[in-house]
């Protein structure tokens, strides 16, 4: 090694040792007779001290360095006069006798500090410099830690990591595939996997019993802040299990990760049905760090002459505890907030529970104090509370009120990112009807098993009634993982493909290998996948998965640092038997 | 769980326990009053015993099952009358009281046994059945074990696993890229990485100090038995190191893996220069499980009237110890062997050291006994040895003799796959001249650093003289890993690109981001990558990496199980702004 120690490890016990350190110049302070340099590496910062008057060559060298120069410094560990208790090496400094510039550095385009002056685009272009910042590097260190702890936990539970192929077959169901032209098979294409779903099921058919993989997956979708064209899953599958076994196994994994990575004892995960999640939170991934449950008010609001409520399939509200003091202006602002196109509510009705025991509302002319009291009772409203009510078409109004609930949670400081509330949502519907395409889609994917007791509904054609053995793990309102018990029977699988609009031929062409496999002794099996990027960002207390990916792409799917994608040679295109088309 | 135990864990201590097992039917033996079933899962085999006369329903069920049916069996652990000491569960069997067929199975197209009757193509098509065979599953279990031990070792050495992107930029240098059309950037393409080389170097520039990744890489090359279009590397990089540090660190890793995975104490790795490897073994990855070193004979054979030797730039031989007893027929066969087009030698000269102290050779008329004795002495030949000599153009004849040496090693049983001989080959040339393209190529890759003391040759234009700080790890004649100290200086990197025929513009277009990065404080760094598939196959004693890949592709790059690659919809092509072209 060019160094004897890292910049993070020297202590007062090392006093008088001769050491060699390598690292980057964080800052230089030149006081004339003394020059100090903070030398930084991944492990920390150590202060170097130079006495330029004693050594002309040393003086010249050190006075030529700037921020981010790479140095190799040789010297003796001495005790600092003014100690710095903020850093581990703060009791010592190095009296440098020899210094070598290993590489000079141009002035970085932004500050390499926790608080930087660089904008997003600039930091993406110079990602290798952004990664030097402690906060960014620590995110990736956390990611490494989560991965290695997840692997060791699963290994102890006898899961085997098996690598499944990246060059697979395109299937039109689901999201858009990235494809790869095959040179050796002209006119044919591989696809990059959206998940290793069929392969992990085949591994169960193979008797692997317990499989996992931390694996890159790919979706060619339009991007948002929390989506990347390539992302990573902790993908898992088990044989001879019921849903209960899977919930317990992976609850165990997540609690282990919280324990070892965050030193947090996560309580046992509660469970909530999909139906309840929608009824009480208007959301299949409710944030239950705070209550503020939905209360349905149709019965209490009906027939009092308020046409808006009378004509609404759903009248539903939440209790913003302690917000009765909101001014007219604040309530108007909230009303505008829910009326924004992103939310889309028509209006907002409020009821304030005043300190004197009376109620004040925006619909006073339709509802008596007694009516309002009855509504207040349903919310257990106390003096000082503010009830916020929306109405309209059931699914839409639930979505709107869910947004309002989250917003109020944020405004009231109820969504502390250092507090973690994890739970399962279970009993998802198997299918959902898409009005635009006028057909049923699998809510999870086509391999998800209906609950055995709901197969009667499937057979009777009551497709909306069929629940699946499907489950999501939700932490702080983020879906961190989800999965299901799978179909392991060829006939049922074929029926599912039929319901989803596949012809027999299409099903055979795309998934024939899986249905064939089911005929050679497929065990009952199920599993789940965690969104690894999202799990890491949650652990790190960030909303953005990009902060936890070393080299992320921007919203146009570009890596602006390496400038990819890019055009390729005509020769390359010709070898691949493809051409770029105009339209 | 549907079971209380696996099929591998019950012992005599479990006698009288009520248990439930799940698994696959390995075989059924029906003796009328008793029926035995071997039930198999990943963990082992347990014998089930049925007394059909006592239970009509049970009898009917068990007599309907065949091989590979999936069963759930409930019963009591009893002591076996005739024990089987070949399996862990051999002392017990299960007296079954209840059995459920979880899934029936069609008769598999080949035997699910260690020795199978299935051909390669059939087993590839039904890979999910082939994976049920113990020998195949154990390969993947070994792979998992190697991966997790490698990760934990590197983690302890403070390496961080960082995921680098899969969708990157195509670069014409090196092997052919797989490309991915970008829908959002019409006419542009991503490429799949041939290795994360530039990204890991950027991570060093970022100060990550120690990086590793077990990562899929992609090369669109024509395939051979030991090549796959997608393969896996253990990719590593370190900062502030010399070559010596890297050799020691990764020698440590490999010795650790041998220790924990194979229970073998690998001796310290010897080191051999590339020049010596070529001189003594004709091969940059010599198998040194056996000696049989090359001896060059030009001096001794010159000027005796044998034109073949006189005109040859290189006359070189090996001593096949104890083979003087080879018959004329055997030697003729060996001569034919070296003359095959795959080897390409013009002929084979032999010298036998007879028991009576004389020499017999195929060139007796040119060489006296004294001449032959002198040659024999150079080989330390003893009575009974057979010296085999080839001659011709230096590089060609070395390659030919290397093949012959390996063949003789195999024939003499000197290449035991349970014996491991590991060493480093160092001091590779930086560049090699390609006659066909009439230009210099990087022997390793364009980022490899010349040895500082050889930069004079670079500057003087003696490009063939320049050695690199590059190294390969070779085990049993297989290159399992290789790497180099990298260039970390923009000027030197630009010079390298120039030597390799890049214009300044091309270099900037393709690798500008890396050269820019070198200007912002790049540390000295280096690393290496192990071929993970190959390393695993070596550990498993197999020549074929395919045996250690769950779902490999065939020699046309096809996955015959899922039938990929395949055609895609016109709609998909249109969205991607590409068309399939005729030629």
């Amino acid at each position: 090694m060019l160094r004897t120690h890292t910049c993070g490890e020297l202590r007062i016990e090392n006093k008088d040792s001769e050491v060699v350190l390598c690292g980057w110049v964080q800052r230089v302070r030149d006081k004339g007779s003394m020059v100090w340099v903070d030398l930084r590496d991944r492990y920390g910062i150590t202060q170097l001290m130079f006495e330029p008057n004693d050594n002309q060559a040393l003086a010249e060298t050190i006075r030529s360095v700037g921020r981010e120069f790479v140095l190799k410094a040789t010297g003796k560990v001495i005790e600092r006069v003014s100690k710095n208790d903020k850093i581990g090496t703060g009791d010592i400094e190095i009296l440098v006798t020899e210094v070598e510039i290993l590489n000079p550095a141009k002035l970085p385009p932004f500050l390499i500090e926790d608080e930087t002056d660089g904008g997003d685009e600039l930091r993406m272009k110079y990602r290798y410099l952004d990664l030097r910042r402690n906060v960014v590097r620590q995110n990736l260190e956390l990611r490494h830690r989560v991965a290695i702890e997840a692997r060791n936990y699963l290994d102890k539970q006898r899961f085997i990591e098996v690598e499944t192929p990246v060059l697979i077959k395109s299937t039109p169901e689901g999201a858009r595939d990235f494809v790869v032209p095959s040179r050796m098979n002209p006119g044919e294409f591989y696809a990059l996997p959206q998940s290793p779903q069929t392969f992990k099921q085949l591994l169960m058919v193979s008797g692997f019993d317990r499989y996992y993989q931390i694996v890159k997956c790919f979706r060619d979708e339009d991007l948002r802040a929390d989506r990347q064209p390539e992302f990573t899953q902790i993908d898992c599958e088990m044989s001879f299990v019921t849903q209960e076994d899977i919930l317990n196994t992976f609850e165990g994994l997540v609690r282990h990760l919280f324990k070892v990575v965050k030193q947090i004892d996560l309580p046992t995960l509660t469970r909530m049905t999909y139906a309840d999640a929608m009824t009480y939170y208007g959301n299949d991934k409710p944030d239950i760090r705070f209550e503020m449950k939905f209360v349905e008010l149709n019965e209490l609001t009906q027939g009092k002459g308020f046409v808006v409520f009378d004509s609404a399939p759903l009248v539903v509200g939440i209790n913003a505890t302690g917000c009765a003091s909101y001014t007219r202006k604040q309530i108007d602002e909230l009303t505008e907030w829910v009326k924004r196109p992103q939310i889309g509510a028509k209006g907002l009705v409020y009821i304030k529970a005043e300190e004197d025991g009376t109620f004040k509302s925006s619909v006073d002319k339709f509802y008596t104090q007694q009516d309002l009291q009855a509504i207040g009772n349903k919310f257990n409203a106390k003096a000082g509370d503010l009830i916020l009510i929306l109405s309209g078409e059931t699914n839409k109004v639930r979505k709107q009120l869910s947004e309002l609930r989250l917003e109020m949670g944020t405004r009231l400081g109820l969504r502390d990112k250092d507090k973690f509330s994890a739970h399962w949502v279970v009993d998802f519907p198997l299918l959902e009807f898409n009005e635009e395409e006028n057909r049923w889609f699998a809510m999870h994917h086509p391999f998800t098993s209906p609950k055995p007791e709901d197969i009667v509904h499937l057979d009777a054609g009551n497709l909306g009634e069929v629940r699946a053995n499907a489950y999501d793990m939700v932490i702080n309102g983020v879906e961190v993982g989800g999965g299901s018990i799978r179909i392991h029977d060829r006939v049922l699988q074929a029926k599912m493909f039929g319901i989803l609009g596949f012809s027999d031929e299409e099903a055979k062409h795309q998934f024939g290998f899986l249905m064939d496999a089911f005929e050679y002794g497929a065990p009952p099996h199920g599993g789940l996948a965690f969104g690894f990027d999202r799990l890491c960002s949650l652990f790190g207390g960030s909303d953005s998965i990009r902060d936890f990916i070393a080299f992320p792409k921007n919203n146009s799917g570009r890596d602006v640092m390496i400038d990819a994608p890019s055009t390729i040679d005509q020769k390359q295109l010709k070898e691949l038997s493809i051409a770029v088309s105009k339209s």
Side-chain angles (χ1 to χ4, degrees), chain A:
Chain A
M1 302 294 298
L2 302 186
R3 65 193 172 206
T4 57
H5 296 78
T6 70
C7 294
E9 67 181 311
L10 291 169
R11 297 289 181 272
I12 193 71
E13 293 74 39
N14 303 100
K15 203 180 147 188
D16 297 330
S17 304
E18 286 291 330
V19 298
V20 185
L21 299 188
C22 292
W24 287 261
V25 172
Q26 182 73 27
R27 69 180 64 78
V28 182
R29 274 159 301 150
D30 191 340
K31 301 282 181 187
S33 65
M34 289 203 196
V35 180
W36 285 278
V37 170
D38 282 351
L39 196 68
R40 183 197 71 230
D41 67 9
R42 182 183 126 196
Y43 312 94
I45 283 181
T46 299
Q47 182 165 293
L48 308 179
M49 204 256 275
F50 298 82
E51 294 176 333
N53 295 345
D54 297 353
N55 184 329
Q56 189 60 33
L58 202 66
E60 271 176 33
T61 304
I62 201 58
R63 290 202 159 115
S64 74
V65 312
R67 282 203 281 133
E68 303 305 319
F69 272 51
V70 187
L71 301 187
K72 176 182 172 188
T74 305
K76 191 156 77 168
V77 182
I78 58 172
E79 187 166 359
R80 272 209 219 182
V81 177
S82 61
K83 304 212 162 90
N84 176 351
D85 60 10
K86 293 209 183 72
I87 57 174
T89 62
D91 288 347
I92 58 97
E93 61 190 347
I94 312 298
L95 179 60
V96 176
T97 52
E98 210 183 318
V99 69
E100 184 186 342
I101 296 174
L102 294 174
N103 221 342
K106 290 203 297 194
L107 194 68
F110 51 86
L111 282 174
I112 313 289
E113 305 273 1
D114 289 1
E115 295 293 325
T116 181
D117 54 351
D120 271 358
E121 277 294 307
L122 194 66
R123 286 188 291 119
M124 288 280 269
K125 183 167 162 56
Y126 295 94
R127 182 69 173 172
Y128 49 86
L129 296 179
D130 203 28
L131 287 169
R132 279 190 195 162
R133 297 195 304 125
N134 285 328
V135 284
V136 185
R137 196 199 58 245
Q138 281 161 2
N139 288 344
L140 295 176
E141 287 175 342
L142 174 79
R143 184 182 175 109
H144 166 63
R145 185 57 40 215
V146 176
I148 208 150
E149 290 294 345
R151 283 195 164 94
N152 284 325
Y153 182 86
L154 292 169
D155 182 55
K156 284 209 186 76
Q157 306 276 331
R158 303 189 76 161
F159 283 78
I160 299 179
E161 183 159 24
V162 179
E163 290 175 59
T164 54
V166 175
L167 298 171
I168 66 165
K169 183 170 165 168
S170 189
T171 55
E173 181 74 9
R176 237 184 251 106
D177 285 325
F178 283 105
V179 300
V180 180
S182 166
R183 179 180 56 86
M184 287 203 274
N185 304 274
E188 298 192 329
F189 295 79
Y190 302 99
L192 305 182
Q194 296 183 28
S195 90
Q197 184 62 34
T198 52
F199 289 97
K200 69 175 172 174
Q201 292 193 243
L202 290 176
L203 288 171
M204 294 304 105
V205 175
S206 298
F208 272 68
D209 204 75
R210 296 181 163 210
Y211 144 93
Y212 81 96
Q213 190 183 187
I214 300 187
V215 59
K216 273 277 173 77
C217 300
F218 306 86
R219 265 175 225 173
D220 184 12
E221 289 181 290
D222 297 325
L223 303 173
R224 301 186 310 234
D226 65 339
R227 269 204 203 147
Q228 285 277 311
E230 50 179 300
F231 56 98
T232 304
Q233 290 189 345
I234 309 181
D235 190 49
C236 307
E237 199 79 3
M238 303 171 79
S239 289
F240 303 119
V241 287
T242 61
Q243 172 171 309
E244 192 62 25
D245 301 312
I246 296 186
L247 301 191
N248 290 334
T249 302
F250 295 101
E251 177 167 337
L253 169 64
V254 167
R255 295 180 71 206
H256 171 77
L257 294 176
F258 268 95
K259 182 76 186 162
V260 296
V261 179
K262 301 283 293 181
Q263 290 79 49
I264 288 175
D265 279 303
L266 204 65
T268 305
L269 275 67
T270 53
R271 298 188 191 173
M272 186 187 296
T273 64
Y274 172 85
D276 280 356
M278 296 311 288
T279 303
Y280 296 117
Y281 302 96
N283 196 322
D284 62 1
K285 40 179 191 287
D287 183 347
I288 59 167
R289 276 174 296 186
F290 62 108
E291 277 268 323
M292 214 186 278
K293 275 191 188 176
F294 287 16
V295 173
E296 299 192 354
L297 301 169
N298 292 52
E299 270 182 41
L300 293 179
T301 56
Q302 215 77 323
K304 308 286 179 169
F306 184 41
V307 176
V308 174
F309 281 1
D310 285 352
S311 64
L314 182 64
V315 180
V316 60
I318 51 174
N319 181 1
T321 317
C323 292
S325 59
Y326 267 34
T327 61
R328 178 61 186 255
K329 200 177 157 196
Q330 280 176 298
I331 287 179
D332 283 350
E333 184 267 329
L334 218 49
T335 308
E336 287 313 305
W337 192 91
V338 297
K339 286 166 82 174
R340 292 180 315 149
Q342 299 95 308
I343 310 294
K346 295 258 163 62
L348 175 66
V349 168
Y350 73 84
I351 303 174
K352 285 180 177 177
E354 304 282 11
E355 293 299 332
D356 63 6
T358 65
F359 291 89
K360 188 174 175 336
S361 95
S362 52
V363 288
D364 280 349
K365 63 175 153 179
F366 301 108
Y367 298 98
T368 64
Q369 280 294 316
Q370 208 176 0
D371 294 337
L372 297 174
Q373 176 74 58
I375 294 173
N377 288 347
K378 268 214 126 179
F379 285 97
N380 290 320
K382 289 181 194 59
D385 286 356
L386 174 70
I387 294 166
L388 299 168
I389 303 171
L390 297 177
S391 63
E393 191 276 312
T394 303
N395 290 337
K396 280 186 188 158
V397 79
R398 280 179 170 168
K399 206 162 177 308
Q400 293 158 3
L401 190 61
S402 169
E403 296 287 348
L404 181 60
R405 175 180 175 272
L406 292 172
E407 176 67 16
M408 292 310 296
T410 303
R411 292 186 185 196
L412 293 170
L414 304 172
R415 304 178 71 193
D416 179 356
K417 69 186 165 76
D418 293 322
K419 188 181 153 191
F420 294 93
S421 200
H423 61 108
W424 291 102
V425 176
V426 298
D427 296 355
F428 275 80
L430 181 68
L431 299 156
E432 59 185 347
F433 194 75
N434 183 307
E435 303 281 350
E436 267 172 53
E437 300 206 20
N438 194 35
R439 73 170 181 94
W440 291 92
F441 277 79
M443 194 145 183
H444 193 57
H445 56 48
F447 314 106
T448 296
S449 177
K451 279 184 179 284
E453 63 267 32
D454 286 5
I455 289 186
V456 288
H457 298 307
L458 202 66
D459 293 335
N462 299 326
L463 300 181
E465 300 294 305
V466 185
R467 290 165 307 161
N469 271 322
Y471 32 80
D472 279 353
M473 187 187 286
V474 178
I475 305 183
N476 292 3
V478 176
E479 178 206 323
V480 295
S484 63
I485 299 294
R486 326 299 183 184
I487 297 167
H488 65 280
D489 173 74
R490 183 186 180 116
V491 175
L492 183 55
Q493 187 64 68
K495 183 187 282 184
M496 265 302 283
F497 284 132
I499 288 167
L500 297 173
F502 287 67
S503 71
D504 285 354
E505 257 170 29
E506 284 167 346
K508 195 175 154 54
H509 174 66
Q510 289 174 38
F511 298 110
F513 61 96
L514 185 67
M515 292 200 288
D516 287 349
F518 286 170
E519 295 196 302
Y520 287 102
H525 62 286
L528 93 177
F530 289 99
F532 185 58
D533 310 289
R534 231 180 256 182
L535 192 66
C536 292
S537 71
L538 187 89
F539 270 77
S542 166
D543 292 331
S544 166
I545 62 170
R546 260 187 221 172
D547 297 343
F548 292 79
I549 294 174
F551 299 101
K553 298 199 170 43
N554 74 8
N555 277 352
S556 320
R558 294 200 73 83
D559 182 327
V560 295
M561 179 186 71
I562 63 170
D563 193 26
S566 62
T567 54
I568 60 174
D569 286 354
Q570 207 55 39
K571 180 173 161 247
Q572 250 175 310
L573 291 171
K574 205 176 164 188
E575 277 192 328
L576 296 170
S577 306
I578 57 169
V580 171
S581 64
K582 286 284 156 52
S583 82

